[in-house]
Amino acid sequence: KFGDVSSDGRPVLNISPAELVEIVMRLDQDNFVFPAHAWTPWWSIFGAIGGVDRVEECYEDMSRHIYAIETGLSSDPLMNWRVSRLDKYLLISSSDSHSPYPFRIGREAVVLELEKPSYREMIEAMRNKDPSKVLMTLEVPPSYGKYHWSGHRKCNVGPVPPAEAKKLNYRCPRCGRKLTKGVEDRVEELADREMGYRPAGAIDFKYILPLQELIALSLGIDYTVESKLQSKKIWEIYMELVNKLGPEYEILLNVPIETIAKAAGQSLAGLIKKMRNNELRIIPGFDGVYGKLIIDNSEPHHRAYTRPERDHQLEDYFA
């Protein structure tokens, strides 16, 4: 009676967030509710389209049951640390568990060290922001996310840097309709701290990218197309690596680069090394389009571009 529970793996309910939390917590006080992909323009607590500025505006008197915020693909802890009112919440990262694609599962995660792994101990650790148990989050670089910068996919306009989007008054220079405002722009609107601020006691994080996508990139396969990431060739390499070297996280974070090179070649090993050193260059994602990883160093980093072609009017805007 509360709505459609089968829509795209994500229930669409006809009750308010406060009502939902009240019902869930009435069932069991150990239930844990948190807003997911908090900054995504669509369907999120702080989103530029329909979002609010404070947790209390969303959950009202039930805000006392909210202990964590899931930052989503297009933001990271560094961005969230700029908003002081979020300091009391644990920043967590979760994967795309409603996706039908296995390479979307686990691309972001929370790393926990528990004495006797159980649901209750996990919940208590997160409620208390216990740094001895909540060690870090694993984050996809936010510029890789589908809404990091502004743009208008239908007109092939984007990604538009925040300063340029503001000059355009968030209007598409081709059709005049509203640009989908980027997460970085929205964070800037609510930020009361400079970029680079780190609150005392903040939980650490590391950047990672899915192994399948790095394999595809090393082979020159278009990793932005799900069907190509599902290719037999990529899966064969993936399964060979995890059978030889261990789980995906172990390969991405810990296995020596020389060992990866022997098992999979220098190209993939070099990409994983760059990922570990935060040296991968990315053209930011926009309006539902994933960011673009760059191997060719001649291509400008974070440059605004349109696909598939550019015109002189846009050249003026994005020169």
Side-chain angles (χ1 to χ4, degrees), residues 1-260:
K1 66 181 181 180
F2 293 124
D4 181 3
V5 297
S6 61
S7 175
D8 192 27
R10 294 173 286 193
V12 178
L13 307 179
N14 54 23
I15 57 176
S16 72
E19 289 176 290
L20 172 64
V21 175
E22 183 177 16
I23 292 168
V24 168
M25 299 310 295
R26 193 188 304 148
L27 292 170
D28 195 313
Q29 288 296 303
D30 279 337
N31 283 335
F32 196 72
V33 180
F34 55 88
H37 49 79
W39 296 93
T40 303
W42 309 92
W43 303 99
S44 70
I45 186 170
F46 300 134
I49 303 167
V52 296
D53 293 350
R54 294 177 177 273
V55 169
E56 293 77 10
E57 291 179 66
C58 178
Y59 293 106
E60 303 170 18
D61 60 325
M62 292 292 109
S63 297
R64 66 184 184 275
H65 295 296
I66 306 301
Y67 297 94
I69 289 174
E70 199 275 322
T71 57
L73 210 63
S74 295
S75 87
D76 63 2
L78 278 171
M79 296 167 69
N80 287 262
W81 291 338
R82 297 187 61 198
V83 184
S84 63
R85 70 186 71 142
L86 301 183
D87 286 354
K88 64 181 178 179
Y89 301 102
L90 176 68
L91 300 179
I92 63 176
S93 288
S94 302
S95 75
D96 200 3
S97 58
H98 69 93
S99 172
Y101 302 106
F103 43 80
R104 298 284 183 243
I105 297 175
R107 61 182 174 182
E108 294 199 311
V110 182
V111 180
L112 298 133
E113 183 70 51
L114 306 178
E115 294 175 11
K116 294 181 180 179
S118 68
Y119 177 80
R120 181 161 294 185
E121 188 183 359
M122 176 181 70
I123 295 306
E124 285 303 311
M126 294 200 291
R127 275 183 182 158
N128 298 327
K129 295 178 66 176
D130 185 344
S132 69
K133 294 184 177 181
V134 185
L135 302 187
M136 71 177 78
T137 56
L138 300 178
E139 309 269 345
V140 169
S143 53
Y144 188 68
K146 296 197 289 185
Y147 295 99
H148 187 65
W149 276 4
S150 300
H152 190 203
R153 178 174 46 177
K154 286 186 177 178
C155 287
N156 294 315
V157 173
V160 186
E164 296 298 324
K166 199 170 182 179
K167 288 179 186 177
L168 293 170
N169 196 27
Y170 293 97
R171 292 284 176 182
C172 175
R174 279 187 171 164
C175 71
R177 294 181 180 177
K178 281 187 177 182
L179 298 176
T180 299
K181 186 179 290 186
V183 167
E184 188 166 300
D185 304 65
R186 179 62 175 149
V187 170
E188 186 66 41
E189 289 178 352
L190 300 187
D192 54 358
R193 292 167 172 160
E194 295 297 318
M195 180 65 80
Y197 181 90
R198 182 186 178 111
I203 303 295
D204 206 357
F205 69 95
K206 287 184 179 180
Y207 291 128
I208 62 169
L209 284 159
L211 182 57
Q212 278 100 331
E213 299 188 29
L214 293 175
I215 292 170
L217 188 63
S218 72
L219 297 173
I221 296 171
D222 187 354
Y223 58 88
T224 64
V225 179
E226 270 88 358
S227 60
K228 293 187 177 181
L229 276 175
Q230 293 273 54
S231 74
K232 183 179 178 182
K233 185 175 184 180
I234 291 175
W235 273 115
E236 284 177 348
I237 295 172
Y238 179 90
M239 293 308 300
E240 183 180 359
L241 284 175
V242 296
N243 286 329
K244 280 184 178 178
L245 306 180
E248 180 173 347
Y249 285 148
E250 188 69 16
I251 296 169
L252 292 174
L253 296 170
N254 299 322
V255 173
I257 296 299
E258 300 77 17
T259 304
I260 298 172

Side-chain angles (χ1 to χ4, degrees), residues 281-298:
R281 293 147 49 83
I282 302 173
I283 296 174
F286 69 98
D287 196 17
V289 177
Y290 278 108
K292 182 183 177 185
L293 294 164
I294 306 167
I295 297 180
D296 182 6
N297 288 333
S298 66

